[in-house]
Amino acid sequence: MHNTLSHRWTAFVSLLFVLLTECFTTSVSFAGEKIGSRICLLSDLNGPYGSIALPSGVHSGVARLAQMNCDLALAAGDLVAGQDTSLSNERLQSMWNEWERVVADPFLSRGVPILSALGNHDASAERSSSGGFVFARERMAAASAWNAILGKSAYSSVEWLSREQFPFFYAFKFKSAGVIVFDGSSAGEVSRNRVWLERQLDILASDAAVKTRIVIGHLPLFAVAKGRETVGNILFDSVELYQLFNRYRVDFYVSGHHHAFYPARPALQYNDYGTVLLSLGAMGDGPRKLLNPSAPPARHSMSVLDISQSILDPDFFAPQNFNLQTLSPFDGLLQPSTLLPERLESFDGRGRPVDLRRIDL
């Protein structure tokens, strides 16, 4: 009798897991009606080191996003498969040419500007003992590729605030959104440009026309994924940066690198405004599981953020002003945040524990 009950219980648990997994996988279809401005969000597109071809999820995902009536596309880095000093200049050029063909052109041909933070596979800011960039040639190739497309007509709708260090550090306005992009391709590079960052935050905070404030970099402020919860895979001064973003009423810090979708806020006493940390999933190789045993299986994903046009008070974060939908790049089905763990036992950039709490928009 005991064995029969045990077998039945095991079968029930197995069936429940399958049903929950199926629910997360198939979910419901994307709701295409905008509530205001629409920003398409993508990250971590690369395949294996040195590969020119982009993974199939990138092809199918970009094709879907480009038809979703986006006003702007933002990426959180790792657009190509670099970070290998043996790659020739010709190889690097081919990688960026393929990225432009597969990713940038579908947006630009529809008049949608696409901009991005740079990741460690695009233009790593890792430095040698002498202080120079280890991947200096890759950084030059990335800068050349990005500057080559800025003359296209889609960028006429972008109002530049700072572009002297483009594409590593820059800021712009687009409609009622102010966006700051910094070099988060290594754990400490943004700290070298703290004065610049604070200056851009001050400009956005002083501009009454800016209703939404977004900062984007490659590495996250706090860990979300297994295998990336280590020093070096998180921005080093993460707690101080979060305090800074809160002080300047930043709505979203968008990041990649951890290959796992998770919108959250840290449970910290200085979280007075509540900047949302939006970790984007990977469209390319290597999706990762979240730092919670109850998390669903690792998924490829991409996101769409709608911003209301009727934000009355930009100094008060109102979740109803935003609609965030995350979906599979393969079939376009939604991956609701409500099916993710409510909290993650996370870490900051110095390896100290942090409690992350999921937020649903």
Side-chain angles (χ1 to χ4, degrees), residues 6 19 68 128 163 260 266 268 297 317 325:
S6 177
L19 289 174
M68 288 181 177
S128 66
R163 55 181 287 191
L268 300 170
F317 186 92
Q325 299 181 87

Side-chain angles (χ1 to χ4, degrees), residues 208-221:
V210 173
K211 304 298 185 183
T212 303
R213 305 173 188 118
I214 299 171
V215 180
I216 184 167
H218 185 57
L219 267 63
L221 295 187

Side-chain angles (χ1 to χ4, degrees), residues 20-315:
L20 288 174
T21 301
E22 185 70 12
C23 176
F24 187 87
T25 303
T26 58
S27 191
V28 294
S29 298
F30 173 77
E33 184 177 353
K34 292 199 296 185
I35 66 168
S37 297
R38 172 165 291 174
I39 301 177
C40 287
L41 300 166
L42 53 161
S43 189
D44 297 282
L45 318 181
N46 60 293
Y49 285 94
S51 59
I52 294 174
L54 291 165
S56 60
V58 176
H59 288 258
S60 58
V62 168
R64 291 179 185 280
L65 287 177
Q67 298 178 39
M68 288 181 177
N69 201 17
C70 302
D71 298 294
L72 171 69
L74 288 178
D78 278 2
L79 312 177
V80 298
Q83 204 175 19
D84 183 345
T85 56
S86 70
L87 296 174
S88 67
N89 291 336
E90 293 74 20
R91 187 75 172 185
L92 294 172
Q93 181 67 52
S94 296
M95 290 158 59
W96 280 108
N97 288 346
E98 183 68 356
W99 171 83
E100 182 177 348
R101 183 185 72 84
V102 174
V103 181
D105 283 349
F107 291 107
L108 297 176
S109 64
R110 290 172 168 81
V112 178
I114 178 170
L115 290 161
S116 180
L118 294 180
N120 53 292
H121 286 290
D122 307 318
S124 173
E126 180 184 348
R127 292 176 180 263
S128 66
S129 57
S130 62
F133 290 113
V134 174
F135 298 97
R137 285 191 306 109
E138 293 189 8
R139 291 175 70 84
M140 290 177 62
S144 177
W146 273 102
N147 280 290
I149 66 173
L150 278 192
K152 298 198 174 186
S153 60
Y155 292 100
S156 62
S157 57
V158 174
E159 181 182 345
W160 300 101
L161 300 175
S162 174
R163 55 181 287 191
E164 296 80 11
Q165 301 180 73
F166 183 87
F168 305 103
F169 292 87
Y170 60 100
F172 64 93
K173 289 198 299 183
F174 185 85
K175 296 190 174 183
S176 63
V179 182
I180 298 171
V181 184
F182 64 62
D183 188 349
S185 63
S186 71
E189 193 63 22
V190 66
S191 300
R192 296 171 181 261
N193 287 265
R194 181 67 174 266
V195 173
W196 175 89
L197 176 59
E198 292 199 35
R199 173 60 180 154
Q200 306 314 310
L201 288 168
D202 188 61
I203 290 172
L204 295 187
S206 303
D207 190 339
V210 173
K211 304 298 185 183
T212 303
R213 305 173 188 118
I214 299 171
V215 180
I216 184 167
H218 185 57
L219 267 63
L221 295 187
F222 306 108
V224 300
K226 288 184 177 295
R228 292 287 165 91
E229 67 272 42
T230 55
V231 174
N233 284 304
I234 310 160
L235 292 177
F236 186 66
D237 293 329
S238 54
V239 172
E240 292 80 2
L241 286 169
Y242 191 80
Q243 289 176 310
L244 182 68
F245 295 160
N246 257 315
R247 188 162 74 247
Y248 281 101
R249 303 296 190 256
V250 171
D251 295 294
F252 297 95
Y253 174 65
V254 182
S255 65
H257 190 65
H258 281 214
H259 296 206
F261 167 64
Y262 197 73
R265 287 169 169 158
L268 300 170
Q269 69 273 15
Y270 48 76
N271 191 359
D272 57 335
Y273 182 71
T275 299
V276 174
L277 305 176
L278 180 52
S279 174
L280 298 179
M283 290 176 68
D285 287 354
R288 292 176 176 269
K289 189 172 181 179
L290 292 168
L291 292 170
N292 188 308
S294 67
R299 305 289 186 202
H300 293 86
S301 69
M302 56 192 188
S303 299
V304 176
L305 177 68
D306 286 354
I307 303 173
S308 172
Q309 292 178 334
S310 58
I311 296 177
L312 300 177
D313 185 0
D315 289 327

